[in-house]
Amino acid sequence: MQTRARLRISFTVMSLAVAAFLAIAACQSTPPAISDPKQILTQSLLALQKAKTVHLAATLDGAVPLVIGSSTSPIALDGSTANADLDLAGSRFRATFLIPTLFGLTGEAIAVDGMSYLKTTFTGPKYIASPTGVGSRLGVSPSAGASSSADRTAGLLALLTGPGVTATKNADAQCGSKTCYQVTVVVTPDAVSPSPAAAPGGSALPGSPALPGGFAAPVGSALPGFPGLPSLPVDLSGATVTFVVTVEKDTLRPASVSANATMAGGQALKATLTTSNWDAAVSIQAPPADQIGQGSGGLQLPFPLPSGLPFALPSG
């Protein structure tokens, strides 16, 4: 009798263990395979919008044509890097960046509670504060609502199906310990339309108002999705850009984006962006009051400025 009782108890425990395993497996099952590259990208966008936090790491090499007055000059960006923690649920971020070819420029940008704070080696030891619409610019907060999410998804699909844009699904690729979809998107000059919001000689990608965080922001605006970072009047007219996007098959989250741009003037630019630490705890706070400038200082450039500049300099 004791043996039978032990067998019944063992069988019950084993049955419970199997049931628990099946329940966990069901919760962690991989979504059905997707063959359409446009759907891979839109599903990745939806997964991004559901995230709470994420860490971004970016590298930049090559040169871009910078518009200064009526002329355009190539600016080298080799070795440039940026790292950012995004609190998407709270519409906050903190980013640090380095542009070694620009006199070793380094800086930090923080956006929190409707304010942005910027500190660079060009602007002095204190942060420059300014109001910013960080919540709407990030555009990926879960609280944004179903309507905004649908608009951004429709905007992305409109861009991918528009003229001058092709999306191709490649063979799956290994990304870390996971398997990822891999999609190549080629954007030709035919996809670029003039925009009154762009800097002289610049342009904007169609459908940019519907994309999350202004990823197709007009040329000359602040870095996409990072209000408060310095803007650069870059001329992308006539450029061809090839993006390679990897998306985790099990979570549909974007794992990395690499971009290769060939400018009309022959300059080439390569950028990579990787994601990590999804939904990890982050603490992003405004700088202490004694570290914020009060309208004094201004630019502190490590070189003399020519007279008659065609643009205004911030006073801090």
Side-chain angles (χ1 to χ4, degrees), residues 3-315:
T3 300
R4 291 181 179 178
R6 291 194 189 98
L7 288 175
R8 283 197 297 269
I9 294 173
S10 299
F11 180 78
T12 301
V13 171
M14 185 172 62
S15 299
L16 291 174
V18 170
F21 174 80
L22 292 175
I24 294 173
C27 293
Q28 297 180 343
S29 60
T30 301
I34 306 174
S35 58
D36 185 350
K38 300 180 184 65
Q39 284 300 317
I40 293 173
L41 296 177
T42 54
Q43 291 300 317
S44 179
L45 170 59
L46 293 174
L48 174 63
Q49 290 170 176
K50 296 176 183 178
K52 297 178 181 178
T53 65
V54 65
H55 179 81
L56 305 179
T59 62
L60 201 60
D61 291 286
V64 294
L66 192 66
V67 179
I68 303 179
S70 59
S71 62
T72 302
S73 300
I75 301 296
L77 297 174
D78 295 308
S80 299
T81 60
N83 284 273
D85 286 311
L86 274 62
D87 178 356
L88 303 174
S91 295
R92 303 178 176 207
F93 80 84
R94 176 183 178 273
T96 58
F97 54 92
L98 163 67
I99 308 178
T101 56
L102 194 58
F103 300 93
L105 173 66
T106 62
E108 178 184 15
I110 300 172
V112 58
D113 298 335
M115 294 291 294
S116 65
Y117 306 89
L118 176 66
K119 178 176 67 174
T120 76
T121 48
F122 284 7
T123 55
K126 292 192 175 183
Y127 294 88
I128 298 174
S130 60
T132 180
V134 61
S136 60
R137 288 291 300 277
L138 285 176
V140 288
S141 170
S143 61
S147 176
S148 297
S149 175
D151 289 344
R152 285 189 290 273
T153 303
L156 178 59
L157 283 173
L159 174 64
L160 294 174
T161 56
V165 179
T166 59
T168 305
K169 181 183 180 299
N170 307 324
D172 293 346
Q174 197 69 23
C175 49
S177 60
K178 295 189 176 184
T179 302
C180 283
Y181 293 117
Q182 188 169 236
V183 175
T184 296
V185 180
V186 179
V187 182
T188 68
D190 294 336
V192 179
S193 59
S195 168
S203 55
L205 293 178
S208 60
L211 294 182
F215 285 117
V219 176
S221 67
L223 286 179
F226 294 94
L229 292 187
S231 61
L232 292 175
V234 176
D235 183 6
L236 290 181
S237 57
T240 297
V241 187
T242 300
F243 298 92
V244 178
V245 183
T246 60
V247 177
E248 294 178 353
K249 296 188 71 171
D250 58 344
T251 66
L252 294 177
R253 290 170 172 170
S256 67
V257 179
S258 64
N260 287 274
T262 302
M263 314 298 173
Q267 297 89 5
L269 185 68
K270 181 179 181 179
T272 61
L273 178 71
T274 58
T275 67
S276 61
N277 297 346
W278 289 90
D279 294 339
V282 296
S283 178
I284 302 173
Q285 305 295 331
D290 60 358
Q291 296 183 22
I292 301 174
Q294 300 296 326
S296 61
L299 287 180
Q300 301 177 7
L301 301 176
F303 52 88
L305 286 174
S307 59
L309 286 174
F311 51 86
L313 297 177
S315 61

